[in-house]
Amino acid sequence: MNRRQLIQFFAGLGVAASLISAPVLAADQIKMGVTAGPHAEIMEQVKKLLAKDGVDMKIIEFTDYIQPNAALSAGDLDANSYQHQPYLDAQVKDRGYKFISVGTTITFPMGIYSKKVKSLNDLKQGARIGVPNDPTNGGRALLVLQAKGVIKLKADAGLKATPLDIVENPKKVKIVELDAAQLPRSLDDFDAAVINGNFAESAGLSPTKDAISVEASTGPYANVLAIRAVDKDKPWVAKLVKAYHSPEVKKFVLEKYKGSVITSW
């Protein structure tokens, strides 16, 4: 082998070595917590868009409102998408979570459902009405009942109203608090129940078709993307918000849910 061939040979070895030692740039990998139903279905669309932007997202479904935040705090999740801002604020205050919201997502109008009456006017004296047992959604449900004329609350009750804040109750309805996820399955046990939109959808109930009354579309209850505050500057966060707020996702929501789920962007 002559001098020129030797130079080419060793140069080739150097290129090969550099290729072998060069790190393989893997996609960002994140774990996203959602509740079953629309949150999970929408996130599947977001996942497809994120994959094109170098983010590999694993979606983990939960069946309650407590575990997604506990898992996020423990580091088992990188983000979650299932709660509205008042609920997140309450969790941060009550449990000391270091979370922030980085973008709004969708709103589920809360509905009043019944298998026994066709109208709130048909409720009998002493009717049993189920509401979520967590402070934020329970307060929201009571505000819906107040807006529909079933009860009246103290003027300063606010978003965290409880049954103790009821000052007028013409039909002496009995407010029964139950885990939000259990309300659709327990509808037979009540004269009516105020159910979060995502749990209603998961149970095959449509606010626009099955509810005897629906929450007004205006209000502070847009759902959010929540992350740990320490992660706010990581590149995948901006990519997540961009993907969620895309025209593709908006179109999916409009066509899939036909008004029973409303986009916030």
Side-chain angles (χ1 to χ4, degrees):
M1 185 179 293
N2 59 33
R3 177 183 175 85
R4 184 175 180 178
Q5 289 173 321
L6 284 171
I7 292 173
Q8 292 176 333
F9 174 75
F10 285 111
L13 285 179
V15 171
S18 67
L19 290 174
I20 293 171
S21 61
V24 177
L25 297 177
D28 284 329
Q29 295 181 327
I30 62 172
K31 294 181 180 179
M32 169 67 70
V34 297
T35 44
H39 279 301
E41 294 164 355
I42 295 169
M43 199 56 67
E44 289 290 349
Q45 306 305 309
V46 176
K47 178 178 180 177
K48 295 175 185 178
L49 296 174
L50 279 177
K52 297 177 182 178
D53 208 7
V55 180
D56 178 23
M57 180 168 69
K58 181 179 180 181
I59 299 171
I60 301 171
E61 292 190 20
F62 294 83
T63 58
D64 66 16
Y65 277 2
I66 302 300
Q67 293 306 312
N69 276 339
L72 180 58
S73 180
D76 296 326
L77 297 175
D78 298 291
N80 65 44
S81 175
Y82 79 103
Q83 61 195 319
H84 51 58
Q85 190 66 50
Y87 184 82
L88 176 61
D89 292 341
Q91 289 271 290
V92 167
K93 181 179 179 181
D94 297 343
R95 298 175 182 263
Y97 291 139
K98 306 298 182 183
F99 297 163
I100 59 171
S101 60
V102 293
T104 57
T105 57
I106 52 178
T107 299
F108 296 88
M110 192 173 248
I112 304 175
Y113 298 84
S114 177
K115 292 185 177 180
K116 298 178 181 177
V117 297
K118 298 294 184 181
S119 166
L120 290 174
N121 294 329
D122 298 331
L123 287 174
K124 298 179 180 179
Q125 287 285 321
R128 300 174 75 249
I129 301 179
V131 301
N133 65 359
D134 62 276
T136 304
N137 287 296
R140 181 182 180 185
L142 293 176
L143 289 171
V144 172
L145 292 172
Q146 175 175 251
K148 303 304 179 181
V150 178
I151 59 173
K152 185 176 181 179
L153 301 166
K154 294 178 182 176
D156 61 350
L159 298 180
K160 289 189 176 182
T162 74
L164 296 176
D165 293 313
I166 297 174
V167 292
E168 292 184 21
N169 187 354
K171 291 193 174 183
K172 301 292 188 287
V173 299
K174 298 177 182 178
I175 303 299
V176 182
E177 297 174 294
L178 188 67
D179 181 77
Q182 298 297 322
L183 284 169
R185 294 191 286 271
S186 303
L187 196 52
D188 287 332
D189 300 328
F190 300 111
D191 295 286
V194 191
I195 303 176
N196 292 78
N198 57 323
F199 289 128
E201 288 281 346
S202 298
L205 298 170
S206 168
T208 56
K209 296 178 181 179
D210 302 312
I212 61 174
S213 190
V214 180
E215 178 182 34
S217 59
T218 57
Y221 295 103
N223 286 263
V224 298
L225 296 167
I227 66 167
R228 290 183 295 275
V230 295
D231 293 334
K232 64 184 179 67
D233 295 323
K234 291 186 176 180
W236 62 262
V237 176
K239 292 179 180 180
L240 172 63
V241 176
K242 177 185 176 183
Y244 206 112
H245 288 181
S246 66
E248 294 92 334
V249 171
K250 179 181 281 288
K251 180 181 179 182
F252 173 82
V253 173
L254 290 173
E255 293 180 352
K256 172 77 173 177
Y257 304 110
K258 304 184 187 309
S260 62
V261 178
I262 304 167
T263 59
S264 64
W265 71 95

